[in-house]
Amino acid sequence: MTQNMPYAEVIGDPIQHSKSPLIHNFWLEKLGIEAEYRKTHVKPESLSAYFLQRRADPDWLGCNVTIPHKIAVMEYTDDPGGVRDRIGAMNTIASETGGPLIGTNTDAGGFLQALVVRKWKGEHALLIGAGGAARAILFALSTFGVKTITIMARDATKGQALLDRAGITGTVIAMDAILPPVDLVINSTSLGMFGQPPLDLDLSAQPTSALVYDIVYAPLETGLLTAAKARGLATVDGLEMLIGQAALAFDIFFDADAPREHDAELRALLTA
């Protein structure tokens, strides 16, 4: 950790698994920017103290936010972009010395980049989870021509509230329900992540044209993606969304475009 150098960071609980510092520091080095990016373990009960301390630090540029804070951090931020109403979760908070903390969400844009690159088109998606990441993904899907969403969630009321917020037609099913055939399957939960329970889904009802997208990136090859590949389905791994949303946040923190021409080198670094 360098003293008196501008820095941003990612906060979460847990946080050790985060690859965000590797990504941002890789880009900072490529661009020759004198700054750094860190990861900091912040428990839910420490959020208020964290922001109080950071706001007093003139070198702090802001933070990315991961599980489980994406909803709770909205209490501490200004929201000029209307993210609270449109998405209901924030994953990026920018700080300007003496000014308010500005909250936004780069998950939605980061998620969509993989679909845009693949020129994906579909009308029915299955979204597993109803947390902060699911809110951003649901918003993204609502802007991308998806007409029907099936949400698989532990809490049916929470899942229905997400559909109502997005104004999308859909249904909510239990975590042990049989999957309907869809065009896109998305895991937005931490299931399948190192240290978390696995996500065991029967994909046999999915058409051969279905795309399976897992936002978990530790491990990169999750059980869900392994099952999808065994069925011959196209897949998107968690690094694509992670790098996509990080590039949007990088511009916010460091006022520079991420050098995406080095993506192949970056992926090799992240998977080493």
Side-chain angles (χ1 to χ4, degrees):
M1 186 179 296
T2 307
Q3 298 297 321
N4 300 319
M5 177 182 284
Y7 71 96
E9 61 192 336
V10 59
I11 64 169
D13 178 31
I15 198 60
Q16 194 56 40
H17 68 280
S18 177
K19 294 182 182 290
S20 292
L22 278 173
I23 297 170
H24 286 267
N25 288 320
F26 173 85
W27 287 335
L28 288 169
E29 183 178 353
K30 289 294 183 186
L31 295 175
I33 295 174
E34 290 293 320
E36 63 182 349
Y37 188 100
R38 311 167 182 171
K39 57 185 171 187
T40 300
H41 185 201
V42 178
K43 295 183 177 181
E45 63 270 22
S46 302
L47 262 183
S48 180
Y50 165 80
F51 284 118
L52 188 65
Q53 181 186 52
R54 287 298 190 266
R55 291 187 70 161
D57 185 347
D59 294 323
W60 185 64
L61 301 174
C63 64
N64 284 124
V65 181
T66 189
I67 295 171
H69 303 316
K70 292 184 180 185
I71 297 169
V73 294
M74 293 190 294
E75 177 183 343
Y76 304 97
T77 62
D78 281 16
D79 180 28
V83 173
R84 284 188 186 89
D85 291 334
R86 292 187 300 121
I87 298 179
M90 293 175 176
N91 80 318
T92 304
I93 297 173
S95 170
E96 294 187 10
T97 304
L101 300 181
I102 303 298
T104 189
N105 195 307
T106 63
D107 278 339
F111 170 81
L112 280 183
Q113 285 183 16
L115 301 186
V116 172
V117 166
R118 286 167 176 76
K119 298 180 180 178
W120 178 86
K121 292 182 180 178
E123 295 187 349
H124 188 184
L126 170 75
L127 176 59
I128 303 153
R135 294 177 182 221
I137 290 169
L138 193 58
F139 171 77
L141 292 173
S142 73
T143 69
F144 207 64
V146 175
K147 292 182 171 59
T148 307
I149 306 281
T150 299
I151 293 183
M152 176 177 272
R154 295 189 184 96
D155 186 334
T157 302
K158 196 173 178 183
Q160 187 60 52
L162 260 65
L163 286 173
D164 293 343
R165 175 192 291 272
I168 277 190
T169 301
T171 57
V172 182
I173 61 176
M175 293 297 291
D176 59 354
I178 296 173
L179 303 191
V182 295
D183 303 307
L184 176 63
V185 176
I186 310 138
N187 175 36
S188 74
T189 74
S190 60
L191 294 175
M193 183 187 292
F194 286 135
Q196 299 295 321
L199 178 61
D200 294 320
L201 297 179
D202 181 359
L203 300 174
S204 60
Q206 303 312 309
T208 56
S209 58
L211 177 65
V212 178
Y213 194 150
D214 196 336
I215 74 168
V216 169
Y217 58 83
L220 191 60
E221 179 77 14
T222 63
L224 176 62
L225 295 186
T226 298
K229 289 175 181 178
R231 279 218 60 229
L233 303 179
T235 61
V236 180
D237 65 48
L239 278 189
E240 293 205 39
M241 178 173 170
L242 180 69
I243 294 171
Q245 66 81 25
L248 298 172
F250 186 85
D251 184 26
I252 291 170
F253 296 140
F254 304 110
D255 196 25
D257 291 334
R260 298 296 300 273
E261 65 271 21
H262 299 292
D263 272 11
E265 184 183 350
L266 176 57
R267 280 188 69 95
L269 174 67
L270 293 170
T271 56

